[in-house]
Amino acid sequence: MRGARCLPFVAVVALLAGCGEDDAPSGPIPIGGIFTLAGPAEDESTVHGLRLAIDEINARGGVEVGDQRRRLALRMLDDEALPPTAVANANELVNQRNVVALLGPVKSTLAIPVGAVAERGGVPMITPGSTNPATTRGRTFVFRTIVTDDFQGAVAAAFARQAIGARSAAMFYDASSPYSTGIAASFRSGFERRDGKIVASGTYTPDQVSRTAGMRRLARSQPDVLYLPNPASDTASQGRRARTLGMRAVLLGGDTWAEQTFLRARAFRGSYHTAQWSPDLEDPRSLAFVAAYRRRTGDDPSQYAATAYDAAGLLAEAITRAGRAEPAAIRAALDAVDTYEGVSGRLRYFRGGDPVASAVVVRSTRSGTKVVARLTPESIAPEPTGQP
């Protein structure tokens, strides 16, 4: 918070006190959650991270609000990975269940319209996964705990030019996806600004039966790097197809690649992807989170599990600072955040919903993945979004 020492939420719950009011409400604080709970696009790891955070907060007696402690009561709804369902969920939680804040959704295609509901309803929303700048643009009630596509594309471009030494690049991306188009635009801008050359660019849409022709054209350009900022299910086949066509380019991607099984495939050895966080990080706060998550689930957490954990922690800190569990007060407290020390990194806010944070670059090897670089915001100037 501005002018105050920032603590991780575990410490905040135990130590920070807000300014209470007489006759303040008591009982659990209703929090809404909108996530994909089933199907191939489910947010299983994200939800585990969120529930871990809330359970830890409640185990310590809840959030300190004025002179009392109140537990967080999560009311979770399944968005089914469909925008109309996500919007209906948001309306139900805001207008019928009277939640004081929303957590989620993860996907930008869902978070953008849900953010409109939150804005109209005057209820703060924190997404742990939506990276598209449109999610928060022009909105005062919408926040996130993940960096935007602008920054991630700029990181990939800088790493390609400076660390890999790539002079030429090709891109192949989903033209129907706000994530893919936004991050591709940022990569192009950053790569060309550093005197790199985009020698070929191709697009596809999910309904296309064959995408070989587009990849074959890219292969003829023989780029130093091939940027594939696409959903994991598409990227796996695209990487294999590139190798089948004889492309020797270094494969690059974004955080949709994080913790994916295809990274173990031969085609992806030596590839790199950017993310905000990785379970491979040797940071004390991150290591403690990974250990707690493993005890709970038996698996490693995803990046979105970490940013969801931070979303719950950031919300808890804002409620404590607000001194009351009311949407307008919570929004004002969120807007006043300077720095939040999360497990996914140090999140810095500048009177807006978008954090500035470091990014990691992860390399795929024969034995697994390894963090090979951590780039600070000071070393990377985010690029403006636009169509590639």
Side-chain angles (χ1 to χ4, degrees):
M1 298 300 156
R2 297 189 185 277
R5 183 165 57 97
C6 295
L7 300 170
F9 86 87
V10 172
V12 169
V13 172
L15 299 177
L16 294 180
C19 302
E21 296 182 334
D22 294 336
D23 301 320
S26 59
I29 300 171
I31 305 297
I34 302 176
F35 295 92
T36 306
L37 303 181
E42 69 177 325
D43 301 319
E44 180 180 16
S45 182
T46 310
V47 172
H48 281 317
L50 177 65
R51 290 192 185 279
L52 174 62
I54 291 176
D55 288 349
E56 289 181 353
I57 292 170
N58 288 340
R60 289 167 173 79
V63 179
E64 193 163 349
V65 187
D67 59 357
Q68 61 179 313
R69 289 187 181 276
R70 298 178 62 186
R71 294 167 61 85
L72 298 180
L74 180 62
R75 298 173 178 177
M76 183 82 71
L77 295 179
D78 184 1
D79 60 37
E80 300 176 343
L82 298 172
T85 304
V87 168
N89 288 347
N91 278 308
E92 177 179 340
L93 290 167
V94 169
N95 301 317
Q96 299 176 35
R97 301 202 185 188
N98 299 316
V99 298
V100 301
L102 293 173
L103 297 174
V106 171
K107 303 164 189 67
S108 293
T109 51
L110 308 178
I112 292 171
V114 167
V117 177
E119 194 74 16
R120 287 195 302 270
V123 171
M125 162 185 155
I126 306 175
T127 171
S130 176
T131 56
N132 191 283
T135 302
T136 56
R137 186 183 297 132
R139 294 169 176 173
T140 61
F141 278 81
V142 184
F143 301 80
R144 60 179 126 217
T145 51
I146 193 165
V147 295
T148 64
D149 297 336
D150 294 355
F151 180 61
Q152 198 175 170
V155 168
F159 186 82
R161 286 290 290 128
Q162 297 166 6
I164 299 176
R167 296 181 180 181
S168 62
M171 305 187 300
F172 193 60
Y173 59 93
D174 181 354
S176 69
S177 164
Y179 170 88
S180 296
T181 57
I183 198 171
S186 181
F187 177 82
R188 174 191 284 275
S189 178
F191 196 74
E192 292 180 337
R193 184 168 64 85
R194 292 173 174 83
D195 297 322
K197 184 178 181 180
I198 303 295
V199 293
S201 179
T203 62
Y204 71 94
T205 55
D207 59 348
Q208 283 182 252
V209 176
S210 175
R211 304 165 192 172
T212 302
M215 188 65 73
R216 185 176 291 114
R217 183 171 60 83
L218 299 185
R220 287 197 294 268
S221 70
Q222 289 300 314
D224 295 328
V225 296
L226 173 60
Y227 195 45
L228 301 171
N230 302 315
S233 57
D234 294 338
T235 300
S237 60
Q238 290 163 0
R240 291 193 300 269
R241 188 175 299 116
R243 296 302 184 224
T244 300
L245 292 171
M247 291 188 73
R248 301 174 64 86
V250 175
L251 303 182
L252 294 178
D255 58 5
T256 53
W257 291 26
E259 296 90 44
Q260 295 296 323
T261 56
F262 70 73
L263 295 175
R264 306 186 190 119
R266 181 182 296 274
F268 285 86
R269 288 178 189 167
S271 67
Y272 299 90
H273 68 271
T274 56
Q276 181 169 320
W277 177 86
S278 167
D280 299 327
L281 276 174
E282 295 293 326
D283 173 80
R285 187 177 289 108
S286 177
L287 290 171
F289 164 69
V290 171
Y293 187 97
R294 284 173 177 166
R295 287 194 298 270
R296 186 184 185 97
T297 68
D299 295 319
D300 280 345
S302 68
Q303 170 183 253
Y304 300 124
T307 54
Y309 185 95
D310 286 343
L314 177 63
L315 176 59
E317 181 170 329
I319 293 172
T320 293
R321 287 293 187 176
R324 56 189 187 274
E326 298 175 359
I330 296 170
R331 190 217 69 83
L334 285 168
D335 193 50
V337 169
D338 267 336
T339 304
Y340 180 74
E341 298 286 354
V343 300
S344 66
R346 175 175 294 169
L347 308 180
R348 290 183 293 156
Y349 294 85
F350 300 90
R351 287 292 180 183
D354 296 338
V356 174
S358 297
V360 296
V361 180
V362 180
R363 187 172 191 265
S364 300
T365 69
R366 184 187 298 271
S367 58
T369 56
K370 179 181 180 181
V371 174
V372 296
R374 193 167 193 178
L375 304 180
T376 65
E378 290 77 16
S379 66
I380 302 295
E383 305 297 333
T385 55
Q387 292 303 312

